Amino acid sequence: MSQDTTKQTQNHKIAIITGTTSNLGTNIAYRLLHEIPSDYRLTLIVTSRTLARANECIHDIKKYNEQTTKRKGILDFDYLLIEMTDMVSILNAAYELKQNYNKIDYLYINAAQGVYAGLDWIQATKECLMNPVKASTYPTYKLQKVGVKSRDGLGLVFQANVFGPYYLIELLKELLSKSEDPRVIWISSLMSKPSYLSFDDLQLLKSDVSYEGSKRLVDLLHLAKYKQLYDQYGIKQYVTQPGIFTSFSFFKFLNPFTFYGMLFLFYVARLMGSPWHNISGWKAANAPVFVLTADIKHDKQDVKYGSACTLTGKEYLKNLEIDPTGKDDVLNYFQTLKLEWDEKLKNQITNTRKPYGY
Ligand SMILES: NC(=O)c1ccc[n+]([C@@H]2O[C@H](COP(=O)([O-])OP(=O)(O)OC[C@H]3O[C@@H](n4cnc5c(N)ncnc54)[C@H](OP(=O)(O)O)[C@@H]3O)[C@@H](O)[C@H]2O)c1
């Protein structure tokens, strides 16, 4: 490669944010516009399950750039329609990326879902009155369905939040290794206590806290993999958690009254000293964006980087230790399951045609 071409690729960053359409995903994108030197070319690959939402999101990010960052370099967009609960969709997405790009610099694993059935309003009221900070940090009144499987026959939350993204990373390792400073950033949660995961139910099919269990799996998988990813591929992987912020996903269970009630509770919790009530997606994106420039010599990879804020809402970073118990068992399980899926998908014909391009 000539010096000019090397410089050209170094000055061109390509980032994928899974679930870009979420409040956090869009704010990570906004912050990348500030973070990556303005004269660099930046390609943002927006992902969603639907084209309409991907388009809407691209429109919002473009508008943000026109009104705020006004980047000097080229800002271009692409989209990927990925359904994390469908292994063929993941395979297609990776295939399409390999066809269209010769490197990927940053991969954010942000998309996630739970299988919620609603709220236990009596329990919610009790918890909020007794301890508003705990009620809005570790709520136990969100009702989750038990035993939901994907069409692939896997635990749905397990596949959407951990196994699907893990498989995507595995498929993209080579492409990431072509970047001079590749990064993979997982979005975990505060809600990932060891007690949420049972080792005889790693697909979370018997669990009524499958969302929380999936985040515990994210933490363990990260601990078990980050060294290998760096040693073999030069990929720097970090795990982060965004604190607590307003999410679009729970809106369907709220009316204007309960929505503002929830916001009020968040502010009360912050005033009572909670460092985690960021409330805004922008502040929640602080840790995920910080680790993009973290230096692995000084910024440890075996901790969880957290977005926190002061009483007055000033953002800062607060890291959490991760209990590593069981990380090797988790990695073994994922490696074995990956081999099974490699075998199942080996004759899959990928369909990479897009409805229309950018
Ligand atoms: N909200 C909080 O307080 C909080 C706290 C801790 C951690 N987090 C984490 O922060 C991240 C973002 O949260 P959020 O509340 O902003 O998200 P959200 O509003 O729930 O949105 C979820 C995002 O994930 C995508 N998604 C969901 N299921 C998917 C699937 N099966 N396949 C592919 N994409 C899927 C959605 O994309 P489309 O709908 O466009 O397809 C959407 O962009 C998540 O990892 C969440 O666990 C949030």
Side-chain angles (χ1 to χ4, degrees):
M1 219 190 270
S2 75
Q3 261 188 345
D4 270 1
T5 329
T6 313
K7 198 158 172 240
Q8 251 176 27
T9 38
Q10 275 175 359
N11 293 355
H12 178 193
K13 296 290 178 196
I14 302 170
I16 309 174
I17 306 167
T18 70
T20 328
T21 56
S22 63
N23 189 5
L24 184 62
T26 309
N27 276 285
I28 290 174
Y30 292 162
R31 289 186 78 142
L32 290 188
L33 300 184
H34 291 270
E35 199 66 29
I36 292 165
S38 176
D39 54 342
Y40 280 27
R41 177 174 174 190
L42 174 60
T43 302
L44 283 177
I45 304 175
V46 164
T47 88
S48 173
R49 286 164 295 180
T50 57
L51 182 61
R53 275 171 66 79
N55 271 330
E56 218 176 281
C57 186
I58 289 173
H59 172 81
D60 290 347
I61 302 168
K62 266 187 189 160
K63 195 164 141 205
Y64 182 86
N65 183 50
E66 280 156 19
Q67 293 177 348
T68 317
T69 37
K70 302 184 174 80
R71 292 181 60 81
K72 294 198 200 90
I74 299 169
L75 172 64
D76 40 21
F77 294 91
D78 197 352
Y79 67 86
L80 267 185
L81 302 183
I82 313 185
E83 169 54 82
M84 290 290 182
T85 65
D86 177 352
M87 299 309 285
V88 172
S89 167
I90 294 170
L91 188 72
N92 275 338
Y95 183 79
E96 200 168 309
L97 288 166
K98 287 180 202 165
Q99 293 286 304
N100 297 335
Y101 295 94
N102 51 21
K103 69 158 184 174
I104 298 288
D105 295 286
Y106 311 128
L107 170 59
Y108 278 96
I109 304 294
N110 166 66
Q113 69 172 103
V115 279
Y116 293 108
L119 289 174
D120 177 343
W121 288 105
I122 297 176
Q123 182 68 13
T125 314
K126 266 199 226 156
E127 281 184 34
C128 294
L129 291 175
M130 279 163 62
N131 189 338
V133 177
K134 191 160 171 258
S136 59
T137 313
Y138 305 103
T140 61
Y141 44 81
K142 290 181 176 178
L143 303 174
Q144 298 177 52
K145 296 178 198 161
V146 177
V148 184
K149 283 189 177 175
S150 68
R151 280 199 297 188
D152 288 338
L154 295 167
L156 187 120
V157 177
F158 163 83
Q159 185 180 3
N161 299 359
V162 214
F163 183 65
Y166 166 79
Y167 203 78
L168 181 69
I169 297 170
E170 289 296 301
L171 294 174
L172 295 181
K173 277 189 315 200
E174 299 286 345
L175 204 52
L176 281 155
S177 73
K178 301 279 168 22
S179 163
E180 53 292 337
D181 188 15
R183 311 251 165 169
V184 170
I185 296 123
W186 284 89
I187 307 298
S188 179
S189 167
L190 276 173
M191 302 275 293
S192 60
K193 286 191 282 194
S195 58
Y196 291 133
L197 181 69
S198 158
F199 280 80
D200 61 11
D201 181 29
L202 287 180
Q203 289 204 24
L204 307 162
L205 281 163
K206 293 181 231 156
S207 171
D208 61 357
V209 283
S210 52
Y211 171 80
E212 292 80 354
S214 73
K215 294 297 182 181
R216 171 68 180 150
L217 278 172
V218 165
D219 293 355
L220 289 177
L221 193 59
H222 164 72
L223 286 186
K225 273 296 275 192
Y226 75 85
K227 271 202 186 82
Q228 189 200 341
L229 281 176
Y230 185 67
D231 293 345
Q232 292 180 8
Y233 298 91
I235 298 169
K236 297 170 188 161
Q237 180 176 266
Y238 281 94
V239 66
T240 63
Q241 62 84 12
I244 291 145
F245 60 96
T246 50
S247 165
F248 305 145
S249 61
F250 231 72
F251 283 5
K252 63 175 179 243
F253 298 114
L254 303 173
N255 55 41
F257 179 72
T258 47
F259 173 75
Y260 285 107
M262 179 192 75
L263 262 189
F264 176 72
L265 188 70
F266 283 1
Y267 280 104
V268 169
R270 189 196 277 175
L271 287 174
M272 288 176 75
S274 163
W276 300 123
H277 285 75
N278 293 308
I279 304 169
S280 88
W282 175 273
K283 286 177 192 149
N286 185 20
V289 171
F290 163 77
V291 295
L292 215 60
T293 51
D295 167 3
I296 55 166
K297 287 207 187 85
H298 305 111
D299 302 311
K300 291 163 62 171
Q301 283 171 282
D302 59 352
V303 295
K304 187 154 56 172
Y305 286 79
S307 305
C309 71
T310 63
L311 218 66
T312 55
K314 195 166 176 297
E315 67 178 27
Y316 66 97
L317 291 171
K318 189 173 163 74
N319 306 338
L320 297 172
E321 296 298 323
I322 309 170
D323 178 339
T325 315
K327 70 180 168 65
D328 296 330
D329 294 339
V330 167
L331 182 59
N332 277 338
Y333 186 78
F334 275 70
Q335 282 172 336
T336 310
L337 196 59
K338 177 186 175 286
L339 291 178
E340 278 173 29
W341 276 95
D342 287 347
E343 187 58 28
K344 281 186 194 160
L345 296 174
K346 72 176 183 215
N347 295 322
Q348 182 68 40
I349 297 164
T350 49
N351 171 16
T352 61
R353 263 191 320 149
K354 285 186 165 183
Y356 60 86
Y358 280 85

